[in-house]
C-alpha cells in the first residue's frame, strides 16, 4: 500500500511538473500580439483572453481609455512614468520567438513605422533582448520589451508593452 501511495504521489508530481512545461511559446506570443495592445483590455479581460494560452499575465491600467474601472497594480511594481502594463511570461528561453510575436502585435496595431526614442529610465537590463518605443498618438508613447530573466536552469521569457503617462503631464 505504501508503494502504491508513493507511486501515486510521484505520478501526481510528474503530471503537475509537466503542466508547467507544457506552455506553448507560440500560443502565449499570439495571445500577446492579439490582445496586449488593445486600449480596451482590463485586468479581467486580460486574464480571460490571455490566461488560457498558459501565460503568466502582469497587467495594470490606471487610466483606461474606455469607461472601464482602473485595473490596479498587482504584479511586479509599477514602472515609474507609466499608467499601463501588459506583460506575458512563459517558461523557457525563447527570445527570438517572443520578438517575432512582438513584431506581429506591432504590425497588427499599425505601429510598425511609428518609432520613438526610448525614454530615460528604460535602459536595457540584464537578459533583455530588445527594447524600443512606439508613438501611439501625439501625446502617448509605448515602450516594448522582450527578454529572458531568472536562473539559467529555470529561465522565463517575457514580452511586455508599457504605456507612458501623457507627455504633457510628465513635464509638469
Amino acid at each position: 500500500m505504501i508503494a502504491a501511495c508513493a507511486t501515486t504521489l510521484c505520478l501526481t508530481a510528474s503530471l503537475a511538473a509537466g503542466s508547467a512545461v507544457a506552455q506553448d511559446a507560440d500560443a502565449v506570443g499570439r495571445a500577446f500580439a492579439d490582445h496586449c495592445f488593445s486600449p480596451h483590455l482590463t485586468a479581467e479581460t486580460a486574464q480571460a483572453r490571455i490566461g488560457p494560452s498558459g501565460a503568466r499575465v502582469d497587467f495594470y491600467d490606471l487610466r483606461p481609455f474606455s469607461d472601464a474601472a482602473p485595473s490596479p497594480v498587482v504584479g511586479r511594481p509599477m514602472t515609474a512614468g507609466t499608467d499601463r502594463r501588459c506583460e506575458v511570461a512563459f517558461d523557457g528561453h525563447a527570445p527570438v520567438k517572443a520578438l517575432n510575436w512582438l513584431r506581429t502585435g506591432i504590425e497588427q496595431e499599425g505601429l510598425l513605422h511609428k518609432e520613438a526614442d526610448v525614454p530615460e529610465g528604460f535602459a536595457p537590463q540584464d537578459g533583455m533582448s530588445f527594447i524600443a518605443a512606439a508613438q501611439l498618438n501625439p501625446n502617448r508613447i509605448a515602450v516594448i520589451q522582450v527578454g529572458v530573466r531568472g536562473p539559467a536552469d529555470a529561465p522565463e521569457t517575457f514580452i511586455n508593452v508599457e504605456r507612458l503617462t501623457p507627455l504633457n503631464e510628465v513635464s509638469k
Side-chain angles (χ1 to χ4, degrees):
M1 180 151 144
I2 292 175
C5 287
T7 302
T8 302
L9 288 174
C10 288
L11 180 58
T12 302
S14 172
L15 290 174
S19 65
V21 176
Q23 290 177 321
D24 177 5
D26 287 323
V28 172
R30 168 57 70 194
F32 175 88
D34 288 349
H35 302 292
C36 273
F37 289 97
S38 170
H40 303 291
L41 202 62
T42 66
E44 186 177 302
T45 58
Q47 285 299 333
R49 294 178 184 165
I50 299 170
S53 71
R56 287 181 291 283
V57 180
D58 183 0
F59 182 89
Y60 64 84
D61 190 348
L62 305 178
R63 301 177 67 174
F65 284 157
S66 66
D67 61 357
S71 298
V73 178
V74 294
R76 291 183 309 107
M78 183 176 126
T79 302
T82 69
D83 60 13
R84 183 179 193 271
R85 172 190 300 140
C86 186
E87 177 177 293
V88 299
F90 57 91
D91 296 335
H93 187 275
V96 173
K97 275 191 178 196
L99 184 57
N100 288 336
W101 284 113
L102 175 62
R103 286 184 181 133
T104 298
I106 292 168
E107 188 173 325
Q108 288 175 179
E109 291 301 312
L111 300 173
L112 201 55
H113 302 289
K114 297 185 179 186
E115 297 92 8
D117 292 332
V118 175
E120 288 185 36
F122 281 93
Q125 301 169 7
D126 287 343
M128 190 163 301
S129 303
F130 178 81
I131 185 169
Q135 194 77 45
L136 300 175
N137 63 42
N139 294 316
R140 289 288 193 145
I141 292 174
V143 175
I144 49 180
Q145 303 172 71
V146 169
V148 177
R149 59 187 170 217
D153 63 342
E156 171 184 73
T157 300
F158 69 90
I159 317 168
N160 81 26
V161 56
E162 293 182 298
R163 186 181 68 207
L164 278 64
T165 54
L167 295 177
N168 56 357
E169 289 185 14
V170 173
S171 61
K172 288 183 181 177

